[in-house]
Amino acid sequence: MSLKEKIETGQFVVLGELEPPKGTDFSHMVAHANRVRNRLDAFVVPEMANAVMKASSLGGCACLNREGLEPVFQACCRDRNRLALQADILAAGGLGIDNIMVVPGEEIAFGDHPRARAVHDLSLTQALEMIRGLCSGKDMSGIDLQGTPDFLVGSNLNAGVTGGALDLELEELSSKIDLGVRFVITTPVFDLDRFEKLLKRLDRQKIAVIPTVLLLKSAGMARYIDRNIPHISIPSDMIQSIQKASDKLKRCVEIAGELIAGLKAMEVGGVMISTIGWEDKLPLVLDQARLG
Amino acid sequence: MIVAERKPIEEIIEEAKGFDRILVAGCNECVTVCEAGGKKEVGVLASALRMYFMNQGREVKVDEVTLERQCDHEYLEEIRNIIDNYDAVISLACGVGVQFMAEKYFHKPILPGVNTVFMGATEERGVWSERCQGCGKCILAKTGGICPVSRCAKRLFNGPCGGSSQGKCEISDELPCAWQLIVDRLKELGRLDEYEEIMPIKDWSTDRAGGPRKVVREDVRQ
């Protein structure tokens, strides 16, 4: 069953994040994907996450598609203007990629090419409007397309914001839903109680909420994220449990498994497992979470 | 200077029609020189607004003021005593002045009366053209004093594109090719050999790519 069918019928979906290489050798990416073939519903291929230059999401998606694996293509307004975005999205549709998500993109200054010029020709919601137009057969100038794409459309949701910022996030989510977004992938979730409160404010009849479960690698990494990454907090007992564990990897995999189980119990739309560089550990996480 | 154009009166009316007491505020600097927002334009706009409201049968107070500058605290302070006599201000300063006034008078709607378009020069009365984009890293010493960032349509750094024809840019017959101008000037200065030097790839982090910019001079700061 395709990701689209599963999301439309409200089934729990399991996504994995697979970064394209910084280079032309896609073999590792494909090998990681094949290792969990049939255990995941689709692979989210980031578009230069954290503004670090890599092969494009479109390239990665085309590679996975060729292998008979279902990808989720990311379109990012930071580096492409409306011509380039539309061109890539049509290319994705033509290549048989069925899933697309629009992401805002990290600031260029945070990446490995800080001297680059950002584009931001379209905002995220304008890009969604553009995709809706393409799916109805017209480009942004109203010109008819020769062949129309049909995408399952998704976007991101910042699960960590609070107060007025959360109100704005939810307002934006409502606009995204009106523009055809059917799923959102959240920022990494570590605090289940806090996430449950957010879930109560979301209309899950209208949108599949897919939290990201990030596989931690060490107590140091967890502490760094907790202290330095805005809107992500990691409970201190979770960090301590990694610190105390004799087998750190095992404990990190257990945490990911526990988070997935906890989220599943909340009847979320699915989970997106992010392993940032530890893609070979994806099977361990799936085993731990008894998925697939 | 900063070059601005007057906004269409219909657009200004649309934004201002809900208010009963309006102050039209001009600026004596750049927008006066480019004849978009000085004392004269304040008078013209205020008259047009009065006429519009009169035709609508509405009694709307429209007053005029022109400040020396709207991008400095001290001149903006000059309206502090009168600002509460108005429901809104239409500022004919550039976008800097509009925003600075809005920051200073936080609870007062400040509406823009001009479109700010570029940093440029007066070629002749009634003709202004772009010269600078404020990219934060000036290379004019290398390009014969002519800026490819602001004057080449493609912002090319190492000579013209294939669209340069008879000294003109491919996007308009009326637009000189910046690289033709650069080559001509380097030739005039006897420095054409500099044209052969390959310019490094531009660092855009000093442009808006690095986010909104700020200049801090500790030596003159008070």
Side-chain angles (χ1 to χ4, degrees), chain B residues 23-40:
Chain B
L23 179 65
V24 180
C27 177
N28 247 338
E29 296 285 343
C30 314
V31 287
T32 295
V33 181
C34 65
E35 303 190 34
K39 193 172 181 182
K40 190 181 76 187

Side-chain angles (χ1 to χ4, degrees), chain A residues 107-109 114-118, chain B residues 133 155 202-205 207 209:
Chain A
E107 274 297 316
I108 276 184
R115 295 175 167 195
R117 196 167 208 258
Chain B
Q133 286 198 354
R155 300 191 189 94
K202 174 87 172 157
D203 174 0
W204 290 106
S205 65
D207 186 77

Side-chain angles (χ1 to χ4, degrees), chain B residues 110-125:
Chain B
I110 313 290
L111 311 172
V114 301
N115 290 320
T116 306
V117 282
F118 51 73
M119 282 185 273
T122 310
E123 285 191 14
E124 57 185 86
R125 187 162 180 211

Side-chain angles (χ1 to χ4, degrees), chain B residues 49-60:
Chain B
L49 288 173
R50 286 185 201 110
M51 214 176 296
Y52 166 79
F53 289 121
M54 203 170 69
N55 285 337
Q56 298 289 309
R58 279 186 57 200
E59 254 185 57
V60 174

Side-chain angles (χ1 to χ4, degrees), chain A residues 194-262:
Chain A
R194 198 170 147 187
F195 186 70
E196 196 164 23
K197 285 185 191 124
L198 169 70
L199 271 185
K200 283 182 184 148
R201 294 189 63 181
L202 304 175
D203 183 352
R204 285 183 279 159
Q205 296 299 314
K206 288 185 176 167
I207 190 97
V209 180
I210 303 174
T212 293
V213 172
L214 173 65
L215 175 63
L216 294 167
K217 296 177 181 176
S218 64
M221 174 196 186
R223 210 172 292 118
Y224 179 85
I225 291 175
D226 186 51
R227 284 180 188 162
N228 298 297
I229 309 293
H231 312 306
I232 302 183
S233 68
I234 304 183
S236 55
D237 54 348
M238 191 180 278
I239 300 175
Q240 280 163 15
S241 76
I242 304 172
Q243 206 164 12
K244 284 180 191 157
S246 53
D247 186 341
K248 313 263 188 240
L249 167 63
K250 185 165 169 276
R251 181 62 201 132
C252 288
V253 170
E254 277 169 8
I255 289 172
E258 287 160 12
L259 287 169
I260 292 169

